[in-house]
Amino acid sequence: MGWSCCTRLAKQCDVFLTNYLPPQRQKLKIDVEHIRKANPNIIYARGSALGDKGPERDQGGFDSTAYWARGGSATLVSPEELGRPPDPAWSRLWRHHRRHVHRRRHRRGPVPSRPDRRGPGGGRFPAVLRRLGHGVQRRCRPGAGHGAVQERHAQSGSGGANPFVGVFKTSDGRAINLTVLTPGPYLRDTFEHLGLPELMDDPRFNTDVALLANVEACSAFIVEAFARQPFAYWLERLKTMRGQWAPYQSVLEVGSDQQVLANDLIFEVESADGGSPMKLVANPVQFNHEAVTNIRAPEPSEHTELVLMELGVDWDRMEKLKAAGAIA
């Protein structure tokens, strides 16, 4: 869409919403200063993988990189027996696999309990089937039994139709997520960052068509490459890689992530007892790049007397209410 079309649309719209990254917004002239030239009162909303502030604001991302891997979700729910963080779809399928194993071992199905926000008849089964569609389809293939879940996903590698998408173990047992969904434009850059520049001279891998026809062979090379170096090495090495990737972090590491801090997603409040301030996670929605802050919650009955005084209740009456146990 040309700039003139955007201008005409912006003049008659209430909201402009985009997930384009800063360089693309500037190139297309659809950043906030451009759109507000056409409509000064428009609400300009922007979303991004790593936040609109900080050194990595120009970097893109996907659910699998920003939310699942770097955001700590995968590490938080990874079963020890799996041996590495699962990919998003398989983490949900894994829970159903565990229940199936329980039924086979004990000749009786378990009765797991969990809150259901939708209540009775809320359509949870159709919803989860839709959410797990890719995983269910793969398990419906001939010969794909339940036992393949743990065996396949405990391994490092892509395990799918694209060797540039998967979970890869480092030499010290940590993991890196690759999500280069369209490998063609990123072939040389990705191979060079992985220390595999020679693969661009291999006819099995030097085009996207050839690469996707030789997934297992290419994935094996990538697995070996990641296994040669520790986690910290890859964090530095991949900083300039053009394709999408992310480290698998623990929730503890997320709290000190440079992008989390740069985007003011952690803030401090005073403790009620006057001790050290408490660190809390902020609301991710910001207005005009301003940090979202809050104050601590009141202690039980902390403001009871103030509220009653504002209502005109005198101290004698309050003392009687306290003696009767009506207030604390």
Side-chain angles (χ1 to χ4, degrees):
M1 180 183 296
W3 162 237
S4 60
C5 291
C6 283
T7 302
R8 290 199 296 270
L9 283 173
K11 285 181 179 179
Q12 58 184 340
C13 291
D14 295 316
V15 180
F16 182 89
L17 177 64
T18 180
N19 65 351
Y20 275 51
L21 294 169
Q24 284 70 44
R25 297 200 302 260
Q26 285 293 319
K27 179 181 178 180
L28 297 172
K29 298 187 179 190
I30 58 169
D31 219 334
V32 60
E33 65 269 24
H34 306 115
I35 297 300
R36 283 197 167 159
K37 280 183 180 179
N39 185 346
N41 294 319
I42 199 168
I43 298 171
Y44 189 98
R46 55 198 164 199
S48 63
L50 301 177
D52 204 54
K53 296 183 281 189
E56 297 178 70
R57 70 186 293 260
D58 292 347
Q59 302 298 316
F62 298 106
D63 284 352
S64 57
T65 57
Y67 179 89
W68 185 245
R70 189 165 176 174
S73 299
T75 304
L76 197 63
V77 301
S78 298
E80 291 183 11
E81 55 265 50
L82 194 59
R84 69 161 177 85
D87 62 49
W90 286 101
S91 69
R92 295 185 287 271
L93 191 59
W94 174 255
R95 294 196 294 269
H96 301 292
H97 166 66
R98 290 283 299 274
R99 294 164 187 167
H100 176 81
V101 170
H102 182 282
R103 184 178 64 183
R104 287 202 304 178
R105 288 178 178 173
H106 302 283
R107 298 179 181 272
R108 186 176 184 180
V111 185
S113 300
R114 56 167 292 177
D116 189 339
R117 292 190 297 270
R118 300 191 184 189
R124 298 290 290 179
F125 184 69
V128 76
L129 189 66
R130 175 69 176 172
R131 193 175 183 187
L132 290 174
H134 178 66
V136 172
Q137 289 161 190
R138 295 184 69 89
R139 295 262 63 80
C140 289
R141 293 178 180 176
H146 293 277
V149 176
Q150 180 177 359
E151 179 181 352
R152 175 172 172 268
H153 289 276
Q155 300 171 358
S156 176
S158 66
N162 182 347
F164 286 0
V165 175
V167 184
F168 298 88
K169 287 183 180 179
T170 60
S171 64
D172 52 355
R174 298 293 299 273
I176 299 290
N177 177 289
L178 291 185
T179 306
V180 185
L181 298 181
T182 53
Y186 305 101
L187 284 172
R188 184 176 298 279
D189 181 73
T190 303
F191 283 139
E192 289 179 351
H193 278 85
L194 297 178
L196 301 168
E198 68 278 6
L199 294 192
M200 277 304 292
D201 298 323
D202 191 322
R204 294 176 299 169
F205 314 125
N206 60 8
T207 68
D208 53 355
V209 175
L211 181 82
L212 299 181
N214 294 279
V215 172
E216 291 188 10
C218 185
S219 181
F221 281 113
I222 298 175
V223 168
E224 291 176 6
F226 273 108
R228 283 194 288 265
Q229 300 290 348
F231 187 68
Y233 169 87
W234 290 112
L235 294 186
E236 287 297 318
R237 176 74 177 177
L238 299 179
K239 277 184 176 180
T240 56
M241 194 175 91
R242 293 172 55 220
Q244 298 302 326
W245 71 278
Y248 279 90
Q249 297 191 128
S250 68
V251 288
L252 181 62
E253 292 169 322
V254 173
S256 58
D257 187 291
Q258 65 173 358
Q259 279 301 111
V260 169
L261 301 179
N263 282 276
D264 302 304
L265 296 176
I266 301 290
F267 68 98
E268 292 185 348
V269 296
E270 296 180 359
S271 60
D273 59 6
S276 300
M278 297 181 294
K279 291 186 176 182
L280 301 176
V281 176
N283 187 322
V285 179
Q286 297 181 352
F287 296 94
N288 301 322
H289 279 170
E290 295 176 3
V292 178
T293 59
N294 209 332
I295 59 175
R296 66 172 178 84
E299 291 289 290
S301 302
E302 180 178 346
H303 299 136
T304 299
E305 293 176 352
L306 292 175
V307 172
L308 292 177
M309 288 175 65
E310 290 176 356
L311 294 175
V313 179
D314 59 32
W315 282 106
D316 290 338
R317 176 60 176 159
M318 277 192 268
E319 290 298 327
K320 291 178 181 179
L321 290 172
K322 289 180 181 179
I327 63 173

